[in-house]
Amino acid sequence: MNTGVVIIPTYNEIENIEAIVRAVFSLTTPFHVLIVDDNSPDGTAAKVEELQEEFPERLHIEKRSKKAGLGTAYVHGFKWALDKKFDYIFEMDADFSHNPKDLERLHEACVEGADLAIGSRYVTGVNVVNWPLNRVLMSYFASVYVDFIMGMRIHDATAGFVCYRRNVLETINLDRITFIGYAFQIEMKYRTFINKFKIVEVPIIFTDRTKGQSKMSNAIIKEAIFGVISLRIRKLFNRL
């Protein structure tokens, strides 16, 4: 049965893609992997297609024509996963900042009753490795800021390592998702929260990438800061 699929958006992840795919497939739980590639010029998609010869049943790829943002990549993957009838849909980065072994812990949390399981860096303190202090503080206080504005009581609102039960994604109108950067992660959690789904945080250790380049930018940070206020205002006026 096609129980769980791990969605991994990629743009120039040739240094990581084979290793992350093999790491997921080495787990006891037989997850599928969907790569959503935004026309990486470094040959990421070609490497995935090469690996599909080895993993023809479990490795999938959706190729998009251009780089169009994290949020739209995940929405594309969500719709694909729902169409393929997967019960558990995961988000995970390609760069090993998320430990693939923790996929099984997120899966277990959802099997045991969570509708959204969040791999949380901050639910048991600050569990981040290899980030400079300013990046840690920005990320941590971003979640404090989100909690203050939205009242979700989530310690890691910007987390990008999560597992959704399919009924959550069926309930949320994916065509109305607004944001494409890290604000996308906040928006998805907020829409899950206001629909009264059960959210559980699973403590993880986040390790910064050692290969490839971060996709963080000032525009992404700005979107997250002002996006939170926008979401709250739209909720107050019933326009979400």
Side-chain angles (χ1 to χ4, degrees):
M1 183 171 64
N2 294 342
T3 300
V5 60
V6 182
I7 302 172
I8 305 177
T10 56
Y11 184 77
N12 286 349
E13 292 290 355
I14 192 66
E15 295 175 287
N16 296 302
I17 194 62
E18 179 172 0
I20 198 72
V21 166
R22 292 189 182 281
V24 174
F25 289 157
S26 72
L27 300 172
T28 302
T29 305
F31 296 115
H32 287 239
V33 172
L34 170 65
I35 305 299
V36 181
D37 186 71
D38 279 1
N39 198 24
S40 299
D42 69 349
T44 298
K47 172 54 71 174
V48 174
E49 290 172 331
E50 178 184 319
L51 290 167
Q52 281 183 305
E53 297 179 8
E54 186 176 348
F55 306 105
E57 302 298 326
R58 294 171 59 193
L59 180 57
H60 317 275
I61 185 168
E62 288 284 289
K63 295 187 289 186
R64 305 200 302 170
S65 62
K66 62 181 180 180
K67 188 176 182 182
L70 182 74
T72 63
Y74 274 127
V75 168
H76 184 107
F78 292 160
K79 291 180 177 180
W80 182 95
L82 291 174
D83 182 64
K84 302 297 182 184
K85 308 300 182 185
F86 284 97
D87 296 317
Y88 301 97
I89 297 100
F90 298 78
E91 298 179 12
M92 188 175 76
D93 291 346
D95 60 9
F96 284 94
S97 55
H98 305 140
N99 186 338
K101 293 180 181 179
D102 288 329
L103 287 168
E104 295 189 312
R105 297 172 61 229
L106 295 178
H107 181 247
E108 181 181 7
C110 283
V111 169
E112 292 181 350
D115 297 303
L116 166 60
I118 300 170
S120 178
R121 297 163 288 188
Y122 307 124
V123 70
T124 57
V126 178
N127 296 314
V128 177
V129 177
N130 292 340
W131 260 6
L133 181 60
N134 65 328
R135 183 78 184 273
V136 174
L137 291 174
M138 181 181 69
S139 174
Y140 177 80
F141 284 107
S143 288
V144 173
Y145 166 70
V146 170
D147 183 34
F148 176 74
I149 299 294
M150 295 181 162
M152 290 192 291
R153 300 297 180 263
I154 293 175
H155 294 84
D156 196 353
T158 62
F161 191 28
V162 301
C163 176
Y164 291 97
R165 294 175 68 100
R166 67 172 291 115
N167 61 315
V168 178
L169 300 181
E170 288 173 330
T171 300
I172 294 172
N173 186 343
L174 297 174
D175 291 326
R176 298 192 66 180
I177 299 299
T178 304
F179 299 109
I180 63 173
Y182 283 90
F184 163 81
Q185 302 293 3
I186 300 168
E187 180 174 4
M188 286 297 300
K189 294 175 183 65
Y190 191 52
R191 289 182 182 274
T192 302
F193 171 75
I194 63 177
N195 278 288
K196 303 187 185 306
F197 286 109
K198 182 178 180 180
I199 300 173
V200 171
E201 291 188 84
V202 176
I204 65 161
I205 296 175
F206 178 96
T207 304
D208 195 21
R209 66 162 65 230
T210 59
K211 296 180 180 179
Q213 295 184 339
S214 171
K215 311 305 188 294
M216 178 66 74
S217 69
N218 289 334
I220 289 173
I221 296 170
K222 182 178 178 180
E223 179 196 62
I225 293 171
F226 293 104
V228 169
I229 298 173
S230 171
L231 286 170
R232 184 61 179 150
I233 291 172
R234 285 158 56 200
K235 175 61 173 64
L236 290 173
F237 289 93
N238 294 316
R239 292 187 176 180
L240 271 182

